[in-house]
Amino acid sequence: MSDKYYTENQEKIARYAKALSHPVRVFILDYLTKNSNKCCYSGDMAEELPIARSTLSEHLKELKSAGLIQGEINPPYIKYCINNECLQEARQLLCDFLKQ
């Protein structure tokens, strides 16, 4: 099926839902939103999760690809922050969709 059958909002909902489809990713978003300065290094999160750093990196990549987080590279570290604009959009789209 071609993408022409889907609205822009349907595609966004699917992208955000995919990014939220794993508990580690939900943990990451929760961790970042509850963090006092809303940003942290991936190494800080790695200490909180019982997963390999490479696995954490893949989850961060998925969230970043969906636009829900953004990374600031400061070699050799990457600081991750919530992308508030996209998170708010995801919240609104999902809320509207689930109210239907």
Side-chain angles (χ1 to χ4, degrees), residues 1-11:
M1 215 186 300
S2 171
D3 285 347
K4 71 179 182 173
Y5 295 105
Y6 310 117
T7 67
E8 182 180 346
N9 281 351
Q10 288 169 334
E11 290 180 0

Side-chain angles (χ1 to χ4, degrees), residues 32-45:
L32 289 173
T33 56
K34 289 179 179 176
N35 191 343
S36 61
N37 62 5
K38 307 281 189 211
C39 293
C40 73
Y41 292 100
S42 59
D44 296 336
M45 285 183 276

Side-chain angles (χ1 to χ4, degrees), residues 12-95:
K12 286 180 180 180
I13 289 167
R15 184 176 72 238
Y16 292 138
K18 179 183 177 192
L20 294 169
S21 69
H22 196 285
V24 169
R25 294 182 210 138
V26 174
F27 173 91
I28 291 167
L29 288 175
D30 194 42
Y31 185 85
L32 289 173
T33 56
K34 289 179 179 176
N35 191 343
S36 61
N37 62 5
K38 307 281 189 211
C39 293
C40 73
Y41 292 100
S42 59
D44 296 336
M45 285 183 276
E47 293 175 11
E48 300 289 324
L49 289 163
I51 60 174
R53 288 180 187 257
S54 59
T55 304
L56 174 61
S57 179
E58 288 300 313
H59 288 297
L60 290 165
K61 181 180 173 184
E62 189 71 37
L63 289 168
K64 190 173 177 187
S65 175
L68 294 171
I69 64 172
Q70 49 201 357
E72 178 183 310
I73 299 173
N74 185 9
Y77 306 105
I78 302 175
K79 183 192 285 186
Y80 288 96
C81 303
I82 293 289
N83 182 335
N84 287 314
E85 184 179 327
C86 285
L87 186 60
Q88 180 59 37
E89 178 184 57
R91 185 179 292 127
Q92 189 63 54
L93 286 169
L94 290 166
C95 190

